[in-house]
């Protein structure tokens, strides 16, 4: 049938590409180009065993798989010893790439590394690996799908604990298995429909097959929609929560940024309007990545051209943010008597700052009352009873642990907690393809009416397109433009 032929042709194209690109053996330093105690040099390809035999200077050497051997390593031309270290042999297909592979663990001096790479380069059939080529071979060898590849890349670049957890789950296939399940169900629906189209008149195929596959399609559609309705938690955790500190001039925005980052990022003076440009800094906050942005103070009327430009940039930064820390002087909030009146006060404060409401739409806004050291104890206790206000004194650092704890809880709500049972979307291209997949299913369900009997062959094309959308995520179809973007971000030895 047409769908099965399409899937078969896609896989054939992928494996033809893999076969043409894996004829040579590649090598590279995998542990980073820095001085260290131990460095790892990786080799993968059909000439791997000949290469390791040449390096250990024994043409009949037969190492046992997955065992470490302490060996002397020699230069194949001069026969001089380079170093003494560990050798590990991983015969294919039970290796990271699916090919024969080995690792040389040597001392991490630059001279030893250079000598080992030079020795491997002198061997026939070997060449230096390109960036990401080991992982690319693992992908084409069927060891990883594209979601696992991108999870591995995210794991390499993870800077916070929460990022590490999310990337590890994705690199081990939790997201890929979810998408592959949808893909298989859609293929089954499309195959049943095409069988019904091709053979229903000649064979005794059950007439209710279309009703059954329609029910299954609606179930897949519901699951994908629920998956998409995640408030972009996975993407925010991967890329960092863009957090803008906004408020009136001289309300303490720069002081708050310095306090959060525990260093002097912004200049702080008694003079209003010190900050004119956007000052950004990335920080790990409670295991969550945050991109803090200090901005110029906002007000309605000014004749200073530089201040006008600074306020325009502050609003642009606000429009691109995920979290707004709206900083206000605690004295202007001390007469607020309820959460209902607090919402009105926030609206009026935004008007004072000349911030249109649409700029804040779809973003998390958190009101922060600074300078609580200017209030009485009774007034501070009153403010703390309002559930939507965080209180702090940047000057005296009053209530700092409670403030930091509340901010960490807020970030946890925004980013969520990575779970194997509920893998999240981590890349915008996943979201785009899943939305297109839903659209194709919707078109099929809308156009196919059992009582009208339209041209089902045309309607079936929508199911093929829905399958292709999933396959573009996992890499089951040839998508060279996507592959080039993904693998170029890897280091050379990965």
């Amino acid at each position: 049938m047409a769908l099965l032929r399409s899937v078969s042709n896609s896989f054939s194209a992928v494996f033809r590409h893999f076969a043409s690109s894996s004829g040579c053996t590649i090598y590279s330093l995998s542990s980073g180009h820095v001085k260290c105690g131990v460095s790892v040099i990786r080799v993968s390809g059909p000439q791997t065993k000949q290469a390791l035999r040449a390096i250990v200077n024994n043409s009949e050497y037969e190492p046992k798989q997955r065992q470490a051997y302490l060996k002397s390593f020699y230069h194949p031309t001069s026969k001089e010893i380079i170093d003494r270290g560990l050798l590990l042999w991983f015969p294919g297909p039970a290796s990271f790439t699916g090919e024969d592979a080995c690792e040389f663990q040597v001392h991490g001096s630059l001279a030893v590394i250079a000598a080992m790479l030079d020795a491997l380069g002198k061997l026939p059939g070997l060449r230096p690996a390109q960036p990401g080529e080991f992982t690319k071979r693992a992908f084409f060898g069927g060891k990883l799908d594209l979601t696992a590849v991108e999870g591995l890349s995210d794991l390499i670049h993870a800077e916070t604990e929460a990022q590490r957890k999310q990337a590890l789950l994705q690199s081990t296939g939790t997201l890929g298995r979810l998408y592959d399940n949808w893909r298989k169900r859609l293929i089954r629906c499309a195959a049943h429909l095409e069988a019904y189209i091709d053979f229903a008149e000649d064979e005794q195929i059950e007439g209710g097959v279309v009703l059954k596959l329609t029910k299954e399609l609606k179930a897949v559609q519901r699951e994908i929609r629920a998956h998409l309705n995640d408030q972009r938690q996975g993407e925010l955790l991967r890329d960092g929560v863009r957090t803008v500190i906004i408020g009136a001039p001289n309300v303490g925005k720069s002081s708050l940024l310095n306090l959060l980052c525990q260093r002097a990022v912004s200049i702080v003076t008694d003079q209003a309007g010190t900050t004119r440009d956007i000052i950004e800094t990335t920080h790990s906050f409670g295991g969550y990545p945050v991109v803090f942005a200090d901005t110029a103070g906002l007000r309605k009327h000014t004749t200073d051209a530089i201040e006008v430009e600074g306020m325009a940039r502050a609003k642009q930064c606000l429009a691109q943010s995920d979290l707004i820390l709206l900083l206000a002087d605690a004295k202007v909030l001390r007469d607020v008597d309820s959460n209902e009146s607090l919402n009105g006060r926030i609206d009026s404060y935004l008007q004072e700052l000349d911030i249109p409401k649409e700029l804040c739409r779809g973003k998390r806004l958190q009101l922060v009352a600074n300078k609580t050291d200017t209030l009485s104890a009774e007034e501070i206790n009153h403010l703390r009873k309002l559930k939507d206000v965080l209180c702090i004194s940047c000057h005296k650092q009053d209530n700092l642990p409670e403030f930091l704890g509340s901010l960490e809880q807020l970030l946890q709500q925004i980013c969520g907690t990575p779970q194997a049972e509920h893998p999240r979307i981590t890349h915008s291209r996943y979201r785009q393809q899943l939305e297109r997949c839903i659209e194709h299913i919707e078109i099929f369900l809308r156009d196919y009416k059992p009582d009208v009997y339209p041209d089902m062959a045309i309607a079936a094309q929508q199911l093929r397109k829905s399958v292709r959308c999933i396959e573009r995520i996992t890499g089951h179809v040839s998508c060279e433009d996507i592959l080039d973007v993904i693998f170029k971000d890897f280091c050379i030895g990965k």
Side-chain angles (χ1 to χ4, degrees):
M1 291 179 288
L3 175 71
L4 299 181
R5 286 195 299 271
S6 174
V7 173
S8 177
N9 291 338
S10 297
F11 276 110
S12 297
V14 168
F15 285 112
R16 281 198 302 271
H17 184 290
F18 174 60
S20 64
S21 65
S22 61
C24 57
T25 299
I26 57 175
Y27 64 90
S28 179
L29 176 67
S30 293
S31 53
H33 294 269
V34 293
K35 292 182 180 179
C36 54
V38 176
S39 289
V40 178
I41 296 172
R42 176 183 288 177
V43 182
S44 179
Q47 301 296 317
T48 299
K49 180 169 281 190
Q50 290 85 337
L52 73 85
R53 285 173 172 173
I55 295 300
V56 301
N57 199 25
N58 184 343
S59 61
E60 297 181 356
Y61 183 59
E62 287 289 344
K64 293 182 179 179
Q65 62 181 1
R66 302 179 178 279
Q67 292 190 17
Y69 293 90
L70 180 62
K71 304 292 290 185
S72 295
F73 303 139
Y74 299 85
H75 195 286
T77 303
S78 65
K79 303 302 180 182
E80 290 184 6
I81 187 170
I82 298 173
D83 194 15
R84 187 168 173 81
L86 295 181
L87 167 67
L88 292 95
W89 162 242
F90 304 98
S95 69
F96 174 73
T97 60
E99 307 173 312
D100 286 349
C102 75
E103 289 183 359
F104 300 100
Q105 298 185 10
V106 297
H107 293 99
S109 74
L110 299 180
V112 171
I113 294 170
M116 285 294 294
L117 295 179
D118 180 70
L120 290 169
K122 293 294 191 292
L123 297 174
L126 271 69
R127 65 164 175 82
Q130 298 175 355
E133 190 169 2
F134 286 96
T135 306
K136 196 171 187 177
R137 292 191 175 198
F139 166 70
F140 282 120
K143 291 292 184 176
L144 303 170
D145 72 356
L146 274 190
T147 63
V149 168
E150 289 173 302
L152 183 58
S153 177
D154 291 346
L155 185 60
I156 292 172
H157 294 97
E159 296 180 349
T160 72
E161 178 64 9
Q163 284 179 323
R164 180 195 67 78
K165 289 180 179 178
Q166 177 172 274
L168 181 62
L169 288 173
Q170 184 170 331
S171 67
T172 53
T174 55
L175 197 59
R177 286 190 290 271
L178 175 65
Y179 293 161
D180 193 52
N181 173 264
W182 289 335
R183 171 181 168 270
K184 289 177 179 177
R185 289 161 69 185
L186 289 172
I187 287 176
R188 186 164 56 248
C189 289
H192 287 176
L193 180 61
E194 293 202 22
Y196 182 80
I197 294 170
D198 293 341
F199 306 115
E201 295 182 0
D202 303 326
E203 305 291 340
Q204 295 299 317
I205 294 182
E206 184 182 351
V209 65
V210 177
L211 294 177
K212 291 181 180 178
L213 71 88
T214 299
K215 182 178 179 181
E216 177 72 352
L217 286 173
K218 289 180 178 179
V220 172
Q221 188 181 47
R222 284 194 302 269
E223 292 173 20
I224 295 178
R225 279 181 174 155
H227 184 60
L228 287 167
N229 188 26
D230 63 348
Q231 290 77 50
R232 295 180 54 249
Q233 287 186 331
E235 293 161 88
L236 290 173
L237 180 53
R238 176 180 180 269
D239 301 328
V241 181
R242 300 193 65 83
T243 304
V244 61
I245 305 173
I246 215 87
N250 212 29
V251 78
K253 299 182 297 298
S254 297
S255 298
L256 178 60
L257 178 65
N258 292 344
L259 185 62
L260 291 172
C261 298
Q262 294 294 297
R263 60 188 179 92
V265 179
S266 294
I267 297 174
V268 176
T269 69
D270 293 333
Q271 180 181 347
T274 305
T275 302
R276 300 295 182 92
D277 210 343
I278 306 298
I279 299 176
E280 288 190 341
T281 179
T282 302
H283 190 66
S284 175
F285 202 91
Y288 297 95
V290 186
V291 183
F292 287 114
D294 185 17
T295 62
L298 298 178
R299 54 180 174 173
K300 280 190 175 181
H301 305 294
T302 180
T303 57
D304 188 325
I306 298 177
E307 187 177 7
V308 169
E309 176 62 24
M311 291 193 297
R313 295 188 181 190
K315 292 177 182 178
Q316 290 174 359
C317 184
L318 188 152
Q320 298 168 358
S321 67
D322 307 304
L323 171 63
I324 303 170
L325 295 182
L326 182 61
L327 201 62
D329 192 319
K331 287 184 290 187
V332 304
L333 300 172
R334 58 187 170 187
D335 61 339
V336 176
D337 57 3
S338 66
N339 287 302
E340 289 75 14
S341 60
L342 178 64
N343 293 331
R345 185 62 57 88
I346 291 175
D347 291 340
S348 63
Y349 186 40
L350 291 174
Q351 290 178 3
E352 292 175 19
L353 301 180
D354 197 26
I355 298 176
K357 274 191 173 182
E358 53 267 22
L359 280 183
C360 302
R361 191 170 292 122
K363 307 178 190 302
R364 190 69 174 264
L365 188 148
Q366 176 62 58
L367 181 63
V368 179
N370 187 27
K371 303 183 180 181
T372 55
D373 56 298
T374 62
L375 302 182
S376 66
E378 183 179 351
E379 290 171 329
I380 293 174
N381 289 333
H382 173 70
L383 269 182
R384 288 178 178 174
K385 291 179 181 178
L386 299 174
K387 63 178 182 179
D388 295 326
V389 180
L390 298 183
C391 300
I392 192 172
S393 168
C394 294
H395 176 60
K396 293 191 175 181
Q397 299 189 12
D398 292 342
N399 199 41
L400 181 60
E402 183 179 339
F403 174 83
L404 296 178
S406 298
L407 186 56
E408 183 177 333
Q409 289 179 6
L410 181 60
L411 290 170
Q412 185 176 10
Q413 292 172 14
I414 292 173
C415 295
T417 302
Q419 295 178 336
E421 298 81 8
H422 304 287
R424 284 105 55 97
I425 299 170
T426 55
H427 293 71
S428 59
R429 75 176 189 90
Y430 300 175
R431 189 175 300 278
Q432 293 168 1
Q433 294 297 333
L434 290 173
E435 288 172 347
R436 290 173 186 170
C437 178
I438 285 181
E439 289 176 7
H440 292 307
I441 296 175
E442 189 68 40
I443 292 172
F444 172 83
L445 294 174
R446 182 193 67 203
D447 291 349
Y448 176 70
K449 307 294 184 188
D451 54 338
V452 180
Y453 292 103
D455 188 344
M456 286 192 293
I458 296 177
Q461 181 65 20
Q462 297 300 327
L463 295 190
R464 298 189 200 107
K465 290 180 178 178
S466 70
V467 173
R468 298 280 288 191
C469 289
I470 302 292
E471 290 177 339
R472 286 191 181 97
I473 298 176
T474 59
H476 284 89
V477 295
S478 181
C479 40
E480 285 299 315
D481 53 339
I482 298 175
L483 297 181
D484 290 342
V485 172
I486 293 172
F487 289 109
K488 75 178 179 60
D489 292 331
F490 276 83
C491 57
I492 298 294
K494 194 59 180 174

